[in-house]
Amino acid sequence: MTAGGERRYSVQEFYALLYAMEHEAAERYDELANQMETHNNAPVASLFRELAAIERKHAVKLQSHGQSVQAIRPRDLLLGASFELPETAPLDRAHYLMTPAHALALALENEEQAARCFDALAAAAPDDEVRKLAADMAAEEHRHAALIRAKLAGLPEPPADWDQDLDPPRFSE
Amino acid sequence: MNIATAPQPFSANDYKSDYKPVWCPGCGDYSVLLAFTKAMAQLQRPPEEIAVISGIGCSSRIPAYTNCYGFHGVHGRALPVGTGLKVARPELTVIVAGGDGDGFSIGGNHFLHACRRNIDITYIVMDNRVYGMTKGQPSPTTEPDWDSALAPGGTGLRPFHPLVIALASGANFVARGFSGDPNGCADLIVQAVRHPGFSFVEILSPCVTFRPDQREWGKMVHAAPVNPTDDAARAARRIMTDDGFNTGVLYAGNRAPFRPQTAPAAGLDAIEAEFAL
Ligand SMILES: Cc1ncc(C[n+]2csc(CCOP(=O)(O)OP(=O)(O)O)c2C)c(N)n1
Ligand code: SF4
């Protein structure tokens, strides 16, 4: 997490970043839910849909600060080495046979990455208000991560052959 | 960075259709679609002033998933259709899109001449080095030693080098992106559309079903360590000697785009009358 820690955000920019993060995270979970619905993976689809709803609730709350996602480009606000904002699940991690445990593990990674990013921002922010906001966000993301971890612990491990398809799309003979 | 500006009329979602893609989850083409919609939102072009033209293949399904005008055409023939459309309707933003099979095998000849003609269109190739739709046959960009059930031991053939061929044939803008970086790809598409003439954007877009090895591409891509050049020979040398995973704008030339000297003979009214049911 380098760029995030080094960058100096104004309060307004910080809110824009928060809104962009939550908005993109929600859109991405919805996209993954759509993919799973198309591929008849109902349990994972509903899990992604639930995650989308949670992120969207946050985004709506932040929107009241008057920010618009069109007005910022996530690329201008990149944090760390990843290609996308910290809470956005990478599209290339999806698999049509993934299990709820895989989906939650992915969500956990996203929350942990977001928490790390806010920790770094809180440590580096020169502005008191931004520092406090970042620390609050970090605490919230750590809380989310703990919740997901608990939920994940209650799920069975995916079987070793979870990606075996008896009727594969792949030509194998 | 001005973050407090009023919301703009078009957001990325305004360029998406209601059809849900049927691509395999994990396929890079989802990110290319996302990049496309983000790029169009950056450009703020109304969807009805954009036409997305494709051939056949998984990647070529993309027009249906956008809210722009679209033409999902014949395998390998997307570029002639896009060229004709741009010549007849120069006010449209014409984006041609498809796969490496569509563009470099059956459509290879059209690719050369589209570069040479230098019409002001943007060509996006989702390169997964395989024929995805027809279940995993090697394509012109497949590595010679890629071993598969359909080409045991690999083809042993030298891969086609699309970016260098585009340069040698006269393309005016050449860039390479990676689908795992949709924001980066959106920026490339914006620059490609804004650059006059034929702009070619190769997007490395993994086929996770037939080339699961390509899930590793995210660890292999890196930003090109040099600025774009307007010297085609220098760009070609760089591309020939790079590792194939350099991303960014690699060439931005100064050739004047081809524009027909005379306006189309038939106006819209005449065309509408001709095709009236
Ligand atoms: C004239 C013709 N020849 C062959 C085919 C069969 N065909 C359909 S898609 C395809 C290749 C697809 O590969 P690519 O363009 O790389 O797209 P991808 O599916 O990998 O996205 C072929 C050979 C066809 N549809 N029409
Ligand atoms: S077969 Fe390959 S190219 Fe086609 S949708 Fe699936 S992953 Fe994408």
PDB file of all heavy atoms in Angstrom, chain B residues 221-251:
ATOM      1  N   VAL B 221       1.911  -8.735 -16.725  1.00  0.00           N
ATOM      2  CA  VAL B 221       1.822  -7.460 -17.445  1.00  0.00           C
ATOM      3  C   VAL B 221       2.510  -6.356 -16.651  1.00  0.00           C
ATOM      4  O   VAL B 221       2.619  -6.415 -15.432  1.00  0.00           O
ATOM      5  CB  VAL B 221       0.351  -7.045 -17.712  1.00  0.00           C
ATOM      6  CG1 VAL B 221      -0.298  -7.949 -18.720  1.00  0.00           C
ATOM      7  CG2 VAL B 221      -0.440  -6.986 -16.428  1.00  0.00           C
ATOM      8  N   HIS B 222       2.992  -5.373 -17.381  1.00  0.00           N
ATOM      9  CA  HIS B 222       3.646  -4.214 -16.742  1.00  0.00           C
ATOM     10  C   HIS B 222       3.537  -3.029 -17.686  1.00  0.00           C
ATOM     11  O   HIS B 222       3.442  -3.194 -18.909  1.00  0.00           O
ATOM     12  CB  HIS B 222       5.111  -4.524 -16.437  1.00  0.00           C
ATOM     13  CG  HIS B 222       5.843  -5.122 -17.594  1.00  0.00           C
ATOM     14  ND1 HIS B 222       6.436  -4.348 -18.557  1.00  0.00           N
ATOM     15  CD2 HIS B 222       6.000  -6.413 -17.982  1.00  0.00           C
ATOM     16  CE1 HIS B 222       6.956  -5.150 -19.474  1.00  0.00           C
ATOM     17  NE2 HIS B 222       6.698  -6.404 -19.163  1.00  0.00           N
ATOM     18  N   ALA B 223       3.547  -1.841 -17.095  1.00  0.00           N
ATOM     19  CA  ALA B 223       3.436  -0.635 -17.926  1.00  0.00           C
ATOM     20  C   ALA B 223       4.689  -0.497 -18.775  1.00  0.00           C
ATOM     21  O   ALA B 223       5.809  -0.747 -18.294  1.00  0.00           O
ATOM     22  CB  ALA B 223       3.262   0.581 -17.043  1.00  0.00           C
ATOM     23  N   ALA B 224       4.502  -0.108 -20.052  1.00  0.00           N
ATOM     24  CA  ALA B 224       5.659   0.101 -20.933  1.00  0.00           C
ATOM     25  C   ALA B 224       6.573   1.137 -20.292  1.00  0.00           C
ATOM     26  O   ALA B 224       6.111   2.178 -19.839  1.00  0.00           O
ATOM     27  CB  ALA B 224       5.175   0.591 -22.297  1.00  0.00           C
ATOM     28  N   PRO B 225       7.876   0.849 -20.246  1.00  0.00           N
ATOM     29  CA  PRO B 225       8.778   1.749 -19.527  1.00  0.00           C
ATOM     30  C   PRO B 225       9.140   3.005 -20.323  1.00  0.00           C
ATOM     31  O   PRO B 225       9.927   3.812 -19.850  1.00  0.00           O
ATOM     32  CB  PRO B 225      10.019   0.873 -19.292  1.00  0.00           C
ATOM     33  CG  PRO B 225       9.978  -0.136 -20.388  1.00  0.00           C
ATOM     34  CD  PRO B 225       8.541  -0.336 -20.767  1.00  0.00           C
ATOM     35  N   VAL B 226       8.570   3.163 -21.497  1.00  0.00           N
ATOM     36  CA  VAL B 226       8.914   4.326 -22.331  1.00  0.00           C
ATOM     37  C   VAL B 226       7.653   5.046 -22.767  1.00  0.00           C
ATOM     38  O   VAL B 226       6.562   4.477 -22.763  1.00  0.00           O
ATOM     39  CB  VAL B 226       9.698   3.900 -23.597  1.00  0.00           C
ATOM     40  CG1 VAL B 226      11.102   3.456 -23.252  1.00  0.00           C
ATOM     41  CG2 VAL B 226       8.942   2.792 -24.334  1.00  0.00           C
ATOM     42  N   ASN B 227       7.807   6.309 -23.146  1.00  0.00           N
ATOM     43  CA  ASN B 227       6.663   7.068 -23.653  1.00  0.00           C
ATOM     44  C   ASN B 227       6.353   6.627 -25.072  1.00  0.00           C
ATOM     45  O   ASN B 227       7.226   6.131 -25.783  1.00  0.00           O
ATOM     46  CB  ASN B 227       6.985   8.558 -23.639  1.00  0.00           C
ATOM     47  CG  ASN B 227       7.041   9.073 -22.218  1.00  0.00           C
ATOM     48  OD1 ASN B 227       6.308   8.607 -21.359  1.00  0.00           O
ATOM     49  ND2 ASN B 227       7.943  10.002 -21.968  1.00  0.00           N
ATOM     50  N   PRO B 228       5.084   6.852 -25.502  1.00  0.00           N
ATOM     51  CA  PRO B 228       4.767   6.507 -26.893  1.00  0.00           C
ATOM     52  C   PRO B 228       5.634   7.307 -27.857  1.00  0.00           C
ATOM     53  O   PRO B 228       6.045   8.428 -27.525  1.00  0.00           O
ATOM     54  CB  PRO B 228       3.305   6.924 -27.047  1.00  0.00           C
ATOM     55  CG  PRO B 228       2.884   7.581 -25.790  1.00  0.00           C
ATOM     56  CD  PRO B 228       3.934   7.397 -24.770  1.00  0.00           C
ATOM     57  N   THR B 229       5.908   6.715 -28.986  1.00  0.00           N
ATOM     58  CA  THR B 229       6.697   7.422 -29.985  1.00  0.00           C
ATOM     59  C   THR B 229       5.827   7.662 -31.229  1.00  0.00           C
ATOM     60  O   THR B 229       4.831   6.969 -31.426  1.00  0.00           O
ATOM     61  CB  THR B 229       7.949   6.590 -30.371  1.00  0.00           C
ATOM     62  OG1 THR B 229       8.566   7.193 -31.481  1.00  0.00           O
ATOM     63  CG2 THR B 229       7.605   5.156 -30.712  1.00  0.00           C
ATOM     64  N   ASP B 230       6.232   8.646 -32.055  1.00  0.00           N
ATOM     65  CA  ASP B 230       5.540   8.808 -33.335  1.00  0.00           C
ATOM     66  C   ASP B 230       6.411   8.272 -34.468  1.00  0.00           C
ATOM     67  O   ASP B 230       6.151   8.520 -35.645  1.00  0.00           O
ATOM     68  CB  ASP B 230       5.150  10.273 -33.586  1.00  0.00           C
ATOM     69  CG  ASP B 230       6.356  11.190 -33.634  1.00  0.00           C
ATOM     70  OD1 ASP B 230       7.498  10.693 -33.454  1.00  0.00           O
ATOM     71  OD2 ASP B 230       6.175  12.399 -33.851  1.00  0.00           O
ATOM     72  N   ASP B 231       7.441   7.522 -34.101  1.00  0.00           N
ATOM     73  CA  ASP B 231       8.350   6.941 -35.083  1.00  0.00           C
ATOM     74  C   ASP B 231       8.000   5.440 -35.187  1.00  0.00           C
ATOM     75  O   ASP B 231       8.277   4.661 -34.262  1.00  0.00           O
ATOM     76  CB  ASP B 231       9.789   7.154 -34.576  1.00  0.00           C
ATOM     77  CG  ASP B 231      10.821   6.522 -35.496  1.00  0.00           C
ATOM     78  OD1 ASP B 231      10.462   5.618 -36.277  1.00  0.00           O
ATOM     79  OD2 ASP B 231      11.998   6.915 -35.405  1.00  0.00           O
ATOM     80  N   ALA B 232       7.370   5.079 -36.300  1.00  0.00           N
ATOM     81  CA  ALA B 232       6.857   3.711 -36.436  1.00  0.00           C
ATOM     82  C   ALA B 232       7.984   2.676 -36.360  1.00  0.00           C
ATOM     83  O   ALA B 232       7.817   1.594 -35.778  1.00  0.00           O
ATOM     84  CB  ALA B 232       6.084   3.565 -37.742  1.00  0.00           C
ATOM     85  N   ALA B 233       9.135   2.990 -36.932  1.00  0.00           N
ATOM     86  CA  ALA B 233      10.236   2.018 -36.946  1.00  0.00           C
ATOM     87  C   ALA B 233      10.731   1.784 -35.518  1.00  0.00           C
ATOM     88  O   ALA B 233      10.977   0.639 -35.107  1.00  0.00           O
ATOM     89  CB  ALA B 233      11.375   2.538 -37.826  1.00  0.00           C
ATOM     90  N   ARG B 234      10.833   2.873 -34.756  1.00  0.00           N
ATOM     91  CA  ARG B 234      11.293   2.714 -33.370  1.00  0.00           C
ATOM     92  C   ARG B 234      10.255   1.903 -32.567  1.00  0.00           C
ATOM     93  O   ARG B 234      10.608   1.025 -31.781  1.00  0.00           O
ATOM     94  CB  ARG B 234      11.508   4.089 -32.730  1.00  0.00           C
ATOM     95  CG  ARG B 234      11.906   3.955 -31.273  1.00  0.00           C
ATOM     96  CD  ARG B 234      12.100   5.292 -30.610  1.00  0.00           C
ATOM     97  NE  ARG B 234      13.205   6.033 -31.208  1.00  0.00           N
ATOM     98  CZ  ARG B 234      13.445   7.316 -30.956  1.00  0.00           C
ATOM     99  NH1 ARG B 234      12.652   7.987 -30.164  1.00  0.00           N
ATOM    100  NH2 ARG B 234      14.468   7.919 -31.523  1.00  0.00           N
ATOM    101  N   ALA B 235       8.961   2.241 -32.775  1.00  0.00           N
ATOM    102  CA  ALA B 235       7.905   1.518 -32.054  1.00  0.00           C
ATOM    103  C   ALA B 235       7.969   0.030 -32.405  1.00  0.00           C
ATOM    104  O   ALA B 235       7.870  -0.829 -31.526  1.00  0.00           O
ATOM    105  CB  ALA B 235       6.541   2.093 -32.413  1.00  0.00           C
ATOM    106  N   ALA B 236       8.160  -0.267 -33.680  1.00  0.00           N
ATOM    107  CA  ALA B 236       8.192  -1.668 -34.112  1.00  0.00           C
ATOM    108  C   ALA B 236       9.364  -2.401 -33.465  1.00  0.00           C
ATOM    109  O   ALA B 236       9.222  -3.538 -33.000  1.00  0.00           O
ATOM    110  CB  ALA B 236       8.287  -1.739 -35.638  1.00  0.00           C
ATOM    111  N   ARG B 237      10.520  -1.739 -33.417  1.00  0.00           N
ATOM    112  CA  ARG B 237      11.699  -2.374 -32.802  1.00  0.00           C
ATOM    113  C   ARG B 237      11.427  -2.683 -31.328  1.00  0.00           C
ATOM    114  O   ARG B 237      11.727  -3.764 -30.837  1.00  0.00           O
ATOM    115  CB  ARG B 237      12.919  -1.447 -32.932  1.00  0.00           C
ATOM    116  CG  ARG B 237      13.938  -1.939 -33.950  1.00  0.00           C
ATOM    117  CD  ARG B 237      15.292  -1.242 -33.811  1.00  0.00           C
ATOM    118  NE  ARG B 237      15.214   0.172 -33.513  1.00  0.00           N
ATOM    119  CZ  ARG B 237      15.032   1.146 -34.421  1.00  0.00           C
ATOM    120  NH1 ARG B 237      14.917   0.821 -35.696  1.00  0.00           N
ATOM    121  NH2 ARG B 237      14.990   2.413 -34.067  1.00  0.00           N
ATOM    122  N   ARG B 238      10.830  -1.696 -30.656  1.00  0.00           N
ATOM    123  CA  ARG B 238      10.536  -1.904 -29.229  1.00  0.00           C
ATOM    124  C   ARG B 238       9.571  -3.076 -29.036  1.00  0.00           C
ATOM    125  O   ARG B 238       9.757  -3.916 -28.167  1.00  0.00           O
ATOM    126  CB  ARG B 238       9.854  -0.653 -28.662  1.00  0.00           C
ATOM    127  CG  ARG B 238      10.793   0.469 -28.333  1.00  0.00           C
ATOM    128  CD  ARG B 238       9.946   1.603 -27.784  1.00  0.00           C
ATOM    129  NE  ARG B 238      10.742   2.791 -27.555  1.00  0.00           N
ATOM    130  CZ  ARG B 238      10.206   3.996 -27.408  1.00  0.00           C
ATOM    131  NH1 ARG B 238       8.902   4.163 -27.465  1.00  0.00           N
ATOM    132  NH2 ARG B 238      10.985   5.028 -27.188  1.00  0.00           N
ATOM    133  N   ILE B 239       8.527  -3.099 -29.880  1.00  0.00           N
ATOM    134  CA  ILE B 239       7.505  -4.134 -29.693  1.00  0.00           C
ATOM    135  C   ILE B 239       8.068  -5.516 -30.044  1.00  0.00           C
ATOM    136  O   ILE B 239       7.779  -6.514 -29.384  1.00  0.00           O
ATOM    137  CB  ILE B 239       6.245  -3.807 -30.524  1.00  0.00           C
ATOM    138  CG1 ILE B 239       5.618  -2.494 -30.021  1.00  0.00           C
ATOM    139  CG2 ILE B 239       5.221  -4.925 -30.417  1.00  0.00           C
ATOM    140  CD1 ILE B 239       4.561  -1.905 -30.943  1.00  0.00           C
ATOM    141  N   MET B 240       8.912  -5.558 -31.079  1.00  0.00           N
ATOM    142  CA  MET B 240       9.506  -6.843 -31.481  1.00  0.00           C
ATOM    143  C   MET B 240      10.400  -7.405 -30.393  1.00  0.00           C
ATOM    144  O   MET B 240      10.597  -8.609 -30.297  1.00  0.00           O
ATOM    145  CB  MET B 240      10.357  -6.658 -32.745  1.00  0.00           C
ATOM    146  CG  MET B 240       9.567  -6.523 -34.025  1.00  0.00           C
ATOM    147  SD  MET B 240       8.626  -7.976 -34.445  1.00  0.00           S
ATOM    148  CE  MET B 240       9.858  -8.990 -35.219  1.00  0.00           C
ATOM    149  N   THR B 241      10.968  -6.526 -29.588  1.00  0.00           N
ATOM    150  CA  THR B 241      11.935  -7.015 -28.601  1.00  0.00           C
ATOM    151  C   THR B 241      11.378  -7.024 -27.185  1.00  0.00           C
ATOM    152  O   THR B 241      12.087  -7.391 -26.252  1.00  0.00           O
ATOM    153  CB  THR B 241      13.223  -6.151 -28.648  1.00  0.00           C
ATOM    154  OG1 THR B 241      12.844  -4.777 -28.542  1.00  0.00           O
ATOM    155  CG2 THR B 241      13.993  -6.366 -29.931  1.00  0.00           C
ATOM    156  N   ASP B 242      10.113  -6.607 -27.004  1.00  0.00           N
ATOM    157  CA  ASP B 242       9.584  -6.654 -25.632  1.00  0.00           C
ATOM    158  C   ASP B 242       9.082  -8.068 -25.332  1.00  0.00           C
ATOM    159  O   ASP B 242       9.176  -8.965 -26.177  1.00  0.00           O
ATOM    160  CB  ASP B 242       8.545  -5.542 -25.375  1.00  0.00           C
ATOM    161  CG  ASP B 242       7.172  -5.823 -25.986  1.00  0.00           C
ATOM    162  OD1 ASP B 242       6.923  -6.968 -26.399  1.00  0.00           O
ATOM    163  OD2 ASP B 242       6.344  -4.891 -26.042  1.00  0.00           O
ATOM    164  N   ASP B 243       8.558  -8.246 -24.120  1.00  0.00           N
ATOM    165  CA  ASP B 243       8.152  -9.605 -23.728  1.00  0.00           C
ATOM    166  C   ASP B 243       6.691  -9.903 -24.069  1.00  0.00           C
ATOM    167  O   ASP B 243       6.160 -10.937 -23.661  1.00  0.00           O
ATOM    168  CB  ASP B 243       8.393  -9.794 -22.213  1.00  0.00           C
ATOM    169  CG  ASP B 243       7.578  -8.802 -21.381  1.00  0.00           C
ATOM    170  OD1 ASP B 243       6.865  -7.958 -21.971  1.00  0.00           O
ATOM    171  OD2 ASP B 243       7.654  -8.880 -20.136  1.00  0.00           O
ATOM    172  N   GLY B 244       6.047  -8.991 -24.764  1.00  0.00           N
ATOM    173  CA  GLY B 244       4.643  -9.213 -25.133  1.00  0.00           C
ATOM    174  C   GLY B 244       3.663  -8.805 -24.046  1.00  0.00           C
ATOM    175  O   GLY B 244       2.457  -8.936 -24.223  1.00  0.00           O
ATOM    176  N   PHE B 245       4.166  -8.312 -22.924  1.00  0.00           N
ATOM    177  CA  PHE B 245       3.283  -7.946 -21.814  1.00  0.00           C
ATOM    178  C   PHE B 245       3.422  -6.475 -21.416  1.00  0.00           C
ATOM    179  O   PHE B 245       2.986  -6.056 -20.363  1.00  0.00           O
ATOM    180  CB  PHE B 245       3.523  -8.868 -20.609  1.00  0.00           C
ATOM    181  CG  PHE B 245       3.027 -10.259 -20.866  1.00  0.00           C
ATOM    182  CD1 PHE B 245       3.887 -11.245 -21.341  1.00  0.00           C
ATOM    183  CD2 PHE B 245       1.691 -10.578 -20.687  1.00  0.00           C
ATOM    184  CE1 PHE B 245       3.423 -12.521 -21.609  1.00  0.00           C
ATOM    185  CE2 PHE B 245       1.217 -11.850 -20.953  1.00  0.00           C
ATOM    186  CZ  PHE B 245       2.074 -12.829 -21.411  1.00  0.00           C
ATOM    187  N   ASN B 246       4.078  -5.714 -22.286  1.00  0.00           N
ATOM    188  CA  ASN B 246       4.176  -4.264 -22.110  1.00  0.00           C
ATOM    189  C   ASN B 246       2.823  -3.639 -22.389  1.00  0.00           C
ATOM    190  O   ASN B 246       2.258  -3.874 -23.446  1.00  0.00           O
ATOM    191  CB  ASN B 246       5.104  -3.731 -23.220  1.00  0.00           C
ATOM    192  CG  ASN B 246       6.406  -3.242 -22.689  1.00  0.00           C
ATOM    193  OD1 ASN B 246       6.593  -3.137 -21.483  1.00  0.00           O
ATOM    194  ND2 ASN B 246       7.304  -2.929 -23.586  1.00  0.00           N
ATOM    195  N   THR B 247       2.309  -2.836 -21.492  1.00  0.00           N
ATOM    196  CA  THR B 247       1.016  -2.207 -21.769  1.00  0.00           C
ATOM    197  C   THR B 247       1.161  -0.697 -21.867  1.00  0.00           C
ATOM    198  O   THR B 247       2.101  -0.118 -21.323  1.00  0.00           O
ATOM    199  CB  THR B 247      -0.019  -2.538 -20.671  1.00  0.00           C
ATOM    200  OG1 THR B 247       0.496  -2.069 -19.425  1.00  0.00           O
ATOM    201  CG2 THR B 247      -0.295  -4.017 -20.598  1.00  0.00           C
ATOM    202  N   GLY B 248       0.222  -0.085 -22.560  1.00  0.00           N
ATOM    203  CA  GLY B 248       0.230   1.374 -22.720  1.00  0.00           C
ATOM    204  C   GLY B 248       0.132   1.742 -24.187  1.00  0.00           C
ATOM    205  O   GLY B 248      -0.005   0.872 -25.053  1.00  0.00           O
ATOM    206  N   VAL B 249       0.192   3.045 -24.438  1.00  0.00           N
ATOM    207  CA  VAL B 249       0.199   3.505 -25.828  1.00  0.00           C
ATOM    208  C   VAL B 249       1.624   3.322 -26.336  1.00  0.00           C
ATOM    209  O   VAL B 249       2.571   3.838 -25.747  1.00  0.00           O
ATOM    210  CB  VAL B 249      -0.212   4.993 -25.921  1.00  0.00           C
ATOM    211  CG1 VAL B 249      -0.129   5.483 -27.360  1.00  0.00           C
ATOM    212  CG2 VAL B 249      -1.612   5.189 -25.366  1.00  0.00           C
ATOM    213  N   LEU B 250       1.776   2.577 -27.422  1.00  0.00           N
ATOM    214  CA  LEU B 250       3.116   2.258 -27.899  1.00  0.00           C
ATOM    215  C   LEU B 250       3.479   3.081 -29.127  1.00  0.00           C
ATOM    216  O   LEU B 250       4.656   3.249 -29.444  1.00  0.00           O
ATOM    217  CB  LEU B 250       3.204   0.757 -28.201  1.00  0.00           C
ATOM    218  CG  LEU B 250       2.856  -0.120 -26.973  1.00  0.00           C
ATOM    219  CD1 LEU B 250       2.682  -1.570 -27.365  1.00  0.00           C
ATOM    220  CD2 LEU B 250       3.911   0.009 -25.883  1.00  0.00           C
ATOM    221  N   TYR B 251       2.490   3.583 -29.808  1.00  0.00           N
ATOM    222  CA  TYR B 251       2.752   4.392 -31.005  1.00  0.00           C
ATOM    223  C   TYR B 251       1.575   5.338 -31.225  1.00  0.00           C
ATOM    224  O   TYR B 251       0.417   4.932 -31.153  1.00  0.00           O
ATOM    225  CB  TYR B 251       2.918   3.483 -32.226  1.00  0.00           C
ATOM    226  CG  TYR B 251       3.008   4.221 -33.543  1.00  0.00           C
ATOM    227  CD1 TYR B 251       4.155   4.945 -33.887  1.00  0.00           C
ATOM    228  CD2 TYR B 251       1.943   4.206 -34.441  1.00  0.00           C
ATOM    229  CE1 TYR B 251       4.218   5.636 -35.095  1.00  0.00           C
ATOM    230  CE2 TYR B 251       2.017   4.885 -35.658  1.00  0.00           C
ATOM    231  CZ  TYR B 251       3.159   5.591 -35.973  1.00  0.00           C
ATOM    232  OH  TYR B 251       3.230   6.267 -37.164  1.00  0.00           O
TER     233      TYR B 251
END
